[in-house]
Amino acid sequence: MSKDDKILKFPDGFLWGAATSHFQVEGHPKEIDGTLSDWSRWTKEEGRISDKSHADQACEFYFRFEEDLSLIKDLNLGAFRLSLNWPALLDEEGGGQLDREQVDYYKRVLSGLKENGVKTFVTLFHFCLPEALSRAGGWQNPATAEAFGRFSELVAKELDGLVDYWITINEPLAYVYQGFISGFWPPGKSHDYISAFTAMRNFLYGHSLAYDALKKFSSAPVSFTCHWRPFLPKNRFSPLDHMVRFYRDRIFNHLFPQAVDEGHLHFPQPLGLSREIRQLEGEIPGLKGKCDFLAINYYTRELSRFKMGWPIDIFGECSMENELAVSDMGWEIYPKGLYDLLVTETLPYQKNGDGTARPVVITENGYANLFPPEMADGDWSLSDEQRVSYLRLHLEQLYRAIKRGVDVRGYLYWSLLDNFEWAEGLSARFGLVRVSYPTQERLLRASARVYQEIARNNALQL
Ligand code: FCB
């Protein structure tokens, strides 16, 4: 191996960045005090968050964003992903206008990024619904999609010029799975497939409306993110495990991007035999082709297996027995999955309807350790070798995919900071930067320094 083989040089202009979402980092006073979102209500309910923490302060990004923008600069990052706090920005019942103070806050954050030459990725829906919409049925109600379209238009008008990439909806299928199948997230339903599929249809409708609204005022590309997960049969000799793998993959990975590209929704058989499901199928007016770049979130794979019982459940379950090393989240570390999905699984979505290429951005990928929220001083978790290894192994696979011709334009590590990881609470720490919640001190982990070098050199040294 020559010296050059050990340096994996990424394409010129490749974007190195980090991703966050508002509820996970902001500690937004208006939202929290007023319990304005379903998530701020959910975190107040007994037993919802496994470590009993909440997001009332989280990383106080709302107050400390200037410090965090300096971190982004110090780390040589050229891209940053954040999401807008829809519940704090817009109270539809209160006149349907954006809250000026909140608009100014986001303008300051986005201008600060742009002044440092950082490209901005802005997500409009990252799992948190305004309470009024949630009470009226949330994503099961098409009125939520319409409200989302109105919200998108208002923010596009205000933030045009400060946003380089729009993401309408983050991981619709992860949301639907956790909200309607596992029940770990609001609205907390479990094994309710009809509600799950209804929400999916409304997400598609909402994406279509938001896409049009954004395009009225902004020339920035628009997409949605998909959480891509390779599904493998737990027992490769079991036809039933293969069946479960097939259905989970079709629904979780393919349903959304396929519906966007085709402009209509259809479910694999035998689901369409159900009258209620069949009613959800069909064209979604105006949806076809509304995706300007492919936004991929990738963490792990899943081993799927059939679960004995009656009635037969074609979706089976995720096996809890792992075969590979896992993170503290119990997620198997499977870097090759990133290569496979880039060069094979997502290929149909890497082109537009007219055959032109649709670029790809990795909008999330990351590794978590568990440390209790009370941890304060000391050098705990600063030498995060496992995260360094996760990062390097995934970037190697990303490089291989780019060499194979996949047009990947950027990589956003999840996350810049430790933050509030939904039902797992503050203990699950994904940050390049460690946050001590009691003091709000930020300290760079070893992984941050490694990433800083990669971003500086636009290359990974093996
Ligand atoms: C993704 C979510 C993100 C974060 C990471 C770990 O599914 O989009 O908010 O929770 O997982």
Side-chain angles (χ1 to χ4, degrees):
M1 215 188 217
S2 75
K3 184 166 166 285
D4 284 351
D5 291 337
K6 293 186 196 151
I7 297 178
L8 310 185
K9 188 93 185 127
F10 281 71
D12 287 346
F14 190 82
L15 291 175
W16 296 101
T20 58
S21 88
H22 69 277
F23 191 73
Q24 297 178 272
V25 300
E26 274 180 347
H28 197 297
K30 180 180 169 195
E31 183 194 339
I32 301 294
D33 295 347
T35 318
L36 297 184
S37 76
D38 53 353
W39 263 100
S40 39
R41 176 188 27 87
W42 188 256
T43 55
K44 294 186 170 83
E45 292 176 11
E46 190 66 30
R48 298 300 194 191
I49 309 301
S50 57
D51 65 1
K52 299 189 169 46
S53 64
H54 52 69
D56 290 5
Q57 282 82 36
C59 320
E60 297 185 354
F61 181 85
Y62 186 80
F63 300 104
R64 296 171 186 268
F65 70 84
E66 277 164 0
E67 187 186 340
D68 295 334
L69 297 193
S70 320
L71 285 172
I72 293 169
K73 194 170 167 216
D74 290 350
L75 292 178
N76 305 315
L77 302 188
F80 187 62
R81 177 174 170 219
L82 54 85
S83 70
L84 303 182
N85 194 325
W86 178 10
L89 271 161
L90 181 61
D91 173 10
E92 282 217 51
E93 289 170 340
Q97 295 304 315
L98 294 181
D99 178 321
R100 296 310 317 168
E101 204 180 315
Q102 305 310 321
V103 172
D104 287 349
Y105 152 65
Y106 284 110
K107 281 192 172 165
R108 277 184 288 133
V109 176
L110 293 168
S111 318
L113 289 162
K114 303 231 47 116
E115 277 156 25
N116 287 323
V118 176
K119 298 276 184 214
T120 54
F121 286 74
V122 173
T123 313
L124 299 178
F125 178 77
H126 200 121
F127 301 156
C128 299
L129 261 184
E131 253 301 72
L133 293 175
S134 156
R135 278 196 302 270
W139 285 101
Q140 281 165 273
N141 185 346
T144 292
E146 283 150 16
F148 185 57
R150 288 193 293 278
F151 168 64
S152 307
E153 179 161 339
L154 292 171
V155 295
K157 233 187 262 178
E158 289 288 349
L159 302 181
D160 176 38
L162 293 173
V163 180
D164 296 298
Y165 295 83
W166 294 103
I167 291 166
T168 57
I169 296 165
N170 181 62
E171 299 187 350
L173 265 295
Y175 179 90
V176 160
Y177 182 79
Q178 301 283 31
F180 300 95
I181 309 298
S182 78
F184 290 143
W185 294 1
K189 300 195 171 186
S190 99
H191 287 91
D192 183 347
Y193 288 105
I194 301 297
S195 296
F197 294 152
T198 307
M200 260 182 230
R201 183 168 175 103
N202 289 326
F203 268 131
L204 289 162
Y205 178 39
H207 169 72
S208 176
L209 295 175
Y211 185 99
D212 290 343
L214 294 170
K215 291 289 178 183
K216 275 195 207 165
F217 298 96
S218 165
S219 55
V222 181
S223 189
F224 49 88
T225 67
C226 277
H227 183 125
W228 275 89
R229 184 167 285 207
F231 290 88
L232 288 92
K234 170 68 185 147
N235 173 355
R236 66 197 160 91
F237 301 110
S238 156
L240 289 172
D241 287 5
H242 276 275
M243 175 192 76
V244 167
R245 186 218 77 78
F246 170 81
Y247 285 109
R248 288 174 83 88
D249 174 58
R250 287 322 300 170
I251 300 287
F252 194 85
N253 286 332
H254 292 277
L255 191 109
F256 206 87
Q258 192 172 6
V260 171
D261 276 357
E262 293 175 357
H264 64 258
L265 176 62
H266 61 87
F267 294 93
Q269 293 298 5
L271 293 172
L273 297 178
S274 141
R275 195 174 50 83
E276 279 168 299
I277 294 181
R278 210 166 45 244
Q279 279 170 349
L280 298 169
E281 290 191 316
E283 194 190 351
I284 295 173
L287 175 67
K288 193 171 163 116
K290 285 186 176 153
C291 174
D292 302 332
F293 65 102
L294 196 62
I296 293 178
N297 296 353
Y298 176 74
Y299 290 90
T300 185
R301 70 175 189 177
E302 180 196 289
L303 300 176
S304 315
R305 62 177 210 140
F306 184 71
K307 197 173 61 186
M308 288 299 174
W310 188 259
I312 289 174
D313 184 354
I314 56 171
F315 293 112
E317 63 184 5
C318 163
S319 165
M320 290 299 153
E321 290 162 42
N322 297 308
E323 292 175 1
L324 305 173
V326 292
S327 71
D328 285 356
M329 301 288 282
W331 297 352
E332 286 189 331
I333 297 160
Y334 188 56
K336 182 177 168 292
L338 180 59
Y339 174 82
D340 291 343
L341 74 90
L342 287 169
V343 301
T344 320
E345 288 285 302
T346 63
L347 264 192
Y349 314 113
Q350 290 178 28
K351 52 181 187 312
N352 297 304
D354 60 4
T356 53
R358 184 186 278 159
V360 181
V361 178
I362 307 300
T363 37
E364 287 183 30
N365 174 240
Y367 180 92
N369 298 105
L370 294 179
F371 287 93
E374 310 74 67
M375 300 292 285
D377 295 343
D379 60 3
W380 57 277
S381 165
L382 290 176
S383 322
D384 56 341
E385 293 81 14
Q386 295 132 319
R387 181 172 293 99
V388 171
S389 151
Y390 182 96
L391 178 64
R392 295 174 64 87
L393 291 170
H394 283 78
L395 291 181
E396 230 180 294
Q397 297 296 330
L398 180 60
Y399 177 84
R400 281 181 65 215
I402 294 173
K403 279 282 147 197
R404 279 285 298 270
V406 183
D407 183 8
V408 187
R409 303 284 174 88
Y411 171 90
L412 310 183
Y413 178 81
W414 181 274
S415 182
L416 176 70
L417 305 164
D418 286 345
N419 60 49
F420 180 78
E421 178 51 29
W422 310 114
E424 278 76 25
L426 293 169
S427 307
R429 294 169 184 267
F430 278 91
L432 294 166
V433 177
R434 183 188 93 176
V435 178
S436 300
Y437 294 112
T439 59
Q440 286 293 333
E441 181 195 35
R442 276 96 163 118
L443 280 180
L444 300 195
R445 293 192 163 106
S447 56
R449 300 191 191 282
V450 168
Y451 197 47
Q452 186 178 38
E453 277 307 292
I454 293 171
R456 186 204 319 274
N457 302 328
N458 193 29
L460 173 70
Q461 176 133 26
L462 290 186

